[in-house]
């Protein structure tokens, strides 16, 4: 969705005061002894490629900014791009290639299955890895080691937002909670149901469906027969698009609500006109904060719209670079200890991590698809 563009003018690369200070600190001797390699990994092909390319754009822009001011201690940084296509075996292979190359940082993945497959490799070799996208609670609840960090809100935070929203907005309506049984969809649906119940609203029905079907007419018929007004779906964007179209084909005008998986142009294209009015939880729009103003302008000058995971990926590089400077070390374990014990100014604001590796950042808001665009829900 956003291939690498031409570099912006060097003088505009770091606009904010904290970024200027960081760049000055990291500038080193003129002669570079070697390249420092970092890996950006995510779906660069397939239905989630737009999200993977957002991460790539953020990392490459942050690396360009560092290199423009001398890199780190005189060493330039280069980016290795890996396409895991949201598949576990691809992610595992990419992780092993990162170790073989001697990469110093990993920024990625997008899909939980990929992250779970690669995480033990990063930990075993002491490689610092920061995901700006994986929301599955288990990524940090069962973290295999201290070099893994998350710059995304957790599914339980997403579920808390969705559940409270459903109870408040649709308290008098019949609500169904669906999930696809996946490591992403099931925890999201369960967290949403718990939060909705805690807010005093009970679901009319709860179902699990098999993902990857070509036709969800039978599921839609059951929902219609049960007079369901609102359907929350924890699942893949392609399946949700088909469920939505099956509901409309059956004459239902039920409101469909989902998670961040629906925040892709692929969902809008797959669902077509049926996507209009679909609601979803999605991450804070970091473009709206003052901390990102300078970098946002730089990205737009380069032809990159800093939406979705672009700015969190940029922040991941900032955190790594600041950790290098603060600790004086390139070792992942040392950097992990430094990041765990400090707070760092970034394009997302000042970021610190809890003992699990979760960032203390703002979580989710409600968005909707309107006229082919994802917009904040006006009543949220």
């Amino acid at each position: 969705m956003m291939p690498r563009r031409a570099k912006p003018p060097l003088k505009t690369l770091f606009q904010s005061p904290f970024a200027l200070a960081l760049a000055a600190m990291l500038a080193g001797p003129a002669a570079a002894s070697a390249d420092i390699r970092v890996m950006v990994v995510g779906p660069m092909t397939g239905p989630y490629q737009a999200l993977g390319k957002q991460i790539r754009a953020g990392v490459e822009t942050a690396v360009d900014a560092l290199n423009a001011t001398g890199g780190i201690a005189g060493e330039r940084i280069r980016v290795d791009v890996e396409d895991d296509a949201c598949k576990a075996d691809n992610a595992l292979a990419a992780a092993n290639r990162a170790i073989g190359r001697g990469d110093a940082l990993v920024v990625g993945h997008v899909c939980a299955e990929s992250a779970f497959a690669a995480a033990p490799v990063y930990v075993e070799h002491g490689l610092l890895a920061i995901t700006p996208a994986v929301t599955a609670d288990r990524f940090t609840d069962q973290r295999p080691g201290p070099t893994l960090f998350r710059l995304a809100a957790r599914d339980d935070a997403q579920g808390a937002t969705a559940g409270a929203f459903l109870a408040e907005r649709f308290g008098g309506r019949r609500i169904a909670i669906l999930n696809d049984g996946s490591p992403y969809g099931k925890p999201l649906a369960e967290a949403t149901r718990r939060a909705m119940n805690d807010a005093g609203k009970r679901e009319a029905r709860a179902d699990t469906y098999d993902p990857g079907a070509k036709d969800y007419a039978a599921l839609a018929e059951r929902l219609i027969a049960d007079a369901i007004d609102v359907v929350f779906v924890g699942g893949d964007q392609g399946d949700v698009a088909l469920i939505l179209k099956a509901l409309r084909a059956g004459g239902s005008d039920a409101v469909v609500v989902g998670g961040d998986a629906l925040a892709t142009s692929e969902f809008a294209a797959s669902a077509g006109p049926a996507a209009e009015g679909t609601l979803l939880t999605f991450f804070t729009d970091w473009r709206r904060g003052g901390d990102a103003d300078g970098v946002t302008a730089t990205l737009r000058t380069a032809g990159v719209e800093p939406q979705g995971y672009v700015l969190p990926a940029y922040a991941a590089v900032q955190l790594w670079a600041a950790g290098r400077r603060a600790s004086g070390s390139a070792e992942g374990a040392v950097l992990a200890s430094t990041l765990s014990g400090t707070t760092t100014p970034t394009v997302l604001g000042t970021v610190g991590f809890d003992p699990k590796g979760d960032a203390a950042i703002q979580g989710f808001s409600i968005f909707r698809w309107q006229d082919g665009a994802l917009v904040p829900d006006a009543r949220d």
Side-chain angles (χ1 to χ4, degrees), residues 176-199:
I177 305 290
L178 308 182
N179 80 85
D180 64 357
S182 72
Y184 166 78
K186 184 176 180 180
L188 173 58
E190 290 178 346
T192 298
R193 181 184 57 79
R194 285 195 302 271
M196 187 178 74
N197 293 168
D198 289 345

Short mmCIF file of all heavy atoms in Angstrom, two decimals, residues 176-199:
data_model
loop_
_atom_site.label_atom_id
_atom_site.label_comp_id
_atom_site.label_asym_id
_atom_site.label_seq_id
_atom_site.Cartn_x
_atom_site.Cartn_y
_atom_site.Cartn_z
N ALA A 176 -25.24 -10.65 19.14
CA ALA A 176 -24.56 -11.94 19.01
C ALA A 176 -23.06 -11.71 19.03
O ALA A 176 -22.56 -10.73 18.46
CB ALA A 176 -24.95 -12.64 17.70
N ILE A 177 -22.34 -12.61 19.69
CA ILE A 177 -20.89 -12.56 19.74
C ILE A 177 -20.35 -13.77 18.99
O ILE A 177 -20.60 -14.92 19.38
CB ILE A 177 -20.36 -12.58 21.19
CG1 ILE A 177 -20.99 -11.45 22.02
CG2 ILE A 177 -18.84 -12.50 21.20
CD1 ILE A 177 -20.54 -10.06 21.64
N LEU A 178 -19.61 -13.55 17.91
CA LEU A 178 -19.05 -14.62 17.10
C LEU A 178 -17.53 -14.59 17.16
O LEU A 178 -16.93 -13.53 17.31
CB LEU A 178 -19.47 -14.48 15.63
CG LEU A 178 -20.95 -14.31 15.29
CD1 LEU A 178 -21.12 -14.24 13.78
CD2 LEU A 178 -21.78 -15.42 15.88
N ASN A 179 -16.92 -15.78 17.04
CA ASN A 179 -15.47 -15.82 16.90
C ASN A 179 -15.07 -17.00 16.02
O ASN A 179 -15.83 -17.96 15.88
CB ASN A 179 -14.79 -15.90 18.27
CG ASN A 179 -14.79 -17.29 18.86
OD1 ASN A 179 -13.91 -18.08 18.56
ND2 ASN A 179 -15.78 -17.59 19.70
N ASP A 180 -13.87 -16.91 15.45
CA ASP A 180 -13.41 -17.95 14.52
C ASP A 180 -12.49 -18.98 15.18
O ASP A 180 -11.90 -19.81 14.49
CB ASP A 180 -12.69 -17.30 13.33
CG ASP A 180 -11.41 -16.57 13.74
OD1 ASP A 180 -11.10 -16.52 14.95
OD2 ASP A 180 -10.72 -16.05 12.84
N GLY A 181 -12.36 -18.93 16.51
CA GLY A 181 -11.54 -19.90 17.22
C GLY A 181 -10.04 -19.69 17.10
O GLY A 181 -9.26 -20.49 17.61
N SER A 182 -9.61 -18.61 16.46
CA SER A 182 -8.19 -18.36 16.23
C SER A 182 -7.55 -17.68 17.43
O SER A 182 -8.25 -17.15 18.30
CB SER A 182 -8.01 -17.47 14.99
OG SER A 182 -8.42 -16.14 15.28
N PRO A 183 -6.20 -17.65 17.49
CA PRO A 183 -5.53 -16.94 18.58
C PRO A 183 -5.83 -15.45 18.61
O PRO A 183 -5.61 -14.80 19.64
CB PRO A 183 -4.04 -17.19 18.29
CG PRO A 183 -4.01 -18.45 17.51
CD PRO A 183 -5.25 -18.41 16.66
N TYR A 184 -6.29 -14.91 17.51
CA TYR A 184 -6.72 -13.51 17.47
C TYR A 184 -8.20 -13.37 17.79
O TYR A 184 -8.60 -12.63 18.69
CB TYR A 184 -6.44 -12.90 16.09
CG TYR A 184 -7.14 -11.57 15.86
CD1 TYR A 184 -6.65 -10.41 16.41
CD2 TYR A 184 -8.30 -11.50 15.08
CE1 TYR A 184 -7.30 -9.19 16.22
CE2 TYR A 184 -8.95 -10.30 14.86
CZ TYR A 184 -8.44 -9.15 15.43
OH TYR A 184 -9.09 -7.95 15.23
N GLY A 185 -9.04 -14.09 17.06
CA GLY A 185 -10.49 -13.87 17.14
C GLY A 185 -11.13 -14.32 18.43
O GLY A 185 -11.99 -13.63 18.99
N LYS A 186 -10.73 -15.49 18.94
CA LYS A 186 -11.37 -16.01 20.15
C LYS A 186 -11.11 -15.15 21.38
O LYS A 186 -12.07 -14.77 22.08
CB LYS A 186 -10.93 -17.46 20.39
CG LYS A 186 -11.64 -18.11 21.58
CD LYS A 186 -11.24 -19.57 21.72
CE LYS A 186 -11.97 -20.21 22.91
NZ LYS A 186 -11.60 -21.64 23.06
N PRO A 187 -9.85 -14.80 21.71
CA PRO A 187 -9.64 -13.94 22.88
C PRO A 187 -10.31 -12.58 22.76
O PRO A 187 -10.81 -12.04 23.75
CB PRO A 187 -8.11 -13.80 22.94
CG PRO A 187 -7.58 -14.97 22.20
CD PRO A 187 -8.58 -15.23 21.11
N LEU A 188 -10.33 -12.03 21.54
CA LEU A 188 -10.97 -10.73 21.34
C LEU A 188 -12.47 -10.83 21.63
O LEU A 188 -13.04 -9.98 22.33
CB LEU A 188 -10.74 -10.24 19.91
CG LEU A 188 -11.49 -8.97 19.50
CD1 LEU A 188 -11.16 -7.81 20.42
CD2 LEU A 188 -11.16 -8.62 18.05
N ALA A 189 -13.11 -11.85 21.08
CA ALA A 189 -14.56 -12.02 21.31
C ALA A 189 -14.86 -12.27 22.78
O ALA A 189 -15.83 -11.75 23.33
CB ALA A 189 -15.09 -13.15 20.44
N GLU A 190 -14.04 -13.09 23.43
CA GLU A 190 -14.27 -13.39 24.84
C GLU A 190 -14.08 -12.16 25.71
O GLU A 190 -14.86 -11.92 26.64
CB GLU A 190 -13.35 -14.52 25.29
CG GLU A 190 -13.72 -15.88 24.68
CD GLU A 190 -12.77 -16.98 25.09
OE1 GLU A 190 -11.68 -16.67 25.63
OE2 GLU A 190 -13.12 -18.16 24.89
N ALA A 191 -13.05 -11.37 25.43
CA ALA A 191 -12.83 -10.14 26.20
C ALA A 191 -13.98 -9.15 25.98
O ALA A 191 -14.41 -8.46 26.91
CB ALA A 191 -11.50 -9.51 25.79
N THR A 192 -14.47 -9.08 24.76
CA THR A 192 -15.60 -8.20 24.45
C THR A 192 -16.85 -8.64 25.21
O THR A 192 -17.57 -7.82 25.80
CB THR A 192 -15.87 -8.20 22.94
OG1 THR A 192 -14.71 -7.69 22.26
CG2 THR A 192 -17.09 -7.36 22.59
N ARG A 193 -17.11 -9.95 25.19
CA ARG A 193 -18.29 -10.46 25.89
C ARG A 193 -18.21 -10.19 27.39
O ARG A 193 -19.18 -9.75 28.01
CB ARG A 193 -18.43 -11.96 25.64
CG ARG A 193 -19.66 -12.59 26.31
CD ARG A 193 -19.70 -14.09 26.12
NE ARG A 193 -18.49 -14.74 26.61
CZ ARG A 193 -18.26 -15.00 27.90
NH1 ARG A 193 -19.14 -14.65 28.82
NH2 ARG A 193 -17.15 -15.60 28.26
N ARG A 194 -17.04 -10.42 28.00
CA ARG A 194 -16.88 -10.17 29.43
C ARG A 194 -17.12 -8.72 29.77
O ARG A 194 -17.82 -8.39 30.74
CB ARG A 194 -15.48 -10.59 29.88
CG ARG A 194 -15.27 -12.09 30.00
CD ARG A 194 -14.01 -12.39 30.80
NE ARG A 194 -12.83 -11.79 30.21
CZ ARG A 194 -12.07 -12.38 29.30
NH1 ARG A 194 -12.38 -13.60 28.87
NH2 ARG A 194 -10.99 -11.78 28.83
N ALA A 195 -16.53 -7.82 28.98
CA ALA A 195 -16.69 -6.40 29.26
C ALA A 195 -18.14 -5.97 29.08
O ALA A 195 -18.67 -5.15 29.85
CB ALA A 195 -15.78 -5.58 28.34
N MET A 196 -18.80 -6.50 28.06
CA MET A 196 -20.20 -6.17 27.84
C MET A 196 -21.06 -6.68 28.99
O MET A 196 -21.95 -5.97 29.49
CB MET A 196 -20.67 -6.78 26.51
CG MET A 196 -22.07 -6.37 26.09
SD MET A 196 -22.55 -7.08 24.50
CE MET A 196 -22.84 -8.80 24.97
N ASN A 197 -20.80 -7.91 29.44
CA ASN A 197 -21.53 -8.46 30.58
C ASN A 197 -21.29 -7.64 31.83
O ASN A 197 -22.22 -7.37 32.61
CB ASN A 197 -21.11 -9.91 30.84
CG ASN A 197 -21.52 -10.88 29.74
OD1 ASN A 197 -21.06 -12.01 29.72
ND2 ASN A 197 -22.38 -10.46 28.81
N ASP A 198 -20.04 -7.24 32.06
CA ASP A 198 -19.71 -6.43 33.24
C ASP A 198 -20.44 -5.09 33.22
O ASP A 198 -20.73 -4.52 34.28
CB ASP A 198 -18.20 -6.18 33.31
CG ASP A 198 -17.42 -7.44 33.68
OD1 ASP A 198 -18.05 -8.41 34.16
OD2 ASP A 198 -16.20 -7.45 33.49
N ALA A 199 -20.75 -4.61 32.01
CA ALA A 199 -21.48 -3.35 31.87
C ALA A 199 -22.99 -3.54 31.95
O ALA A 199 -23.75 -2.59 31.78
CB ALA A 199 -21.11 -2.67 30.56
#
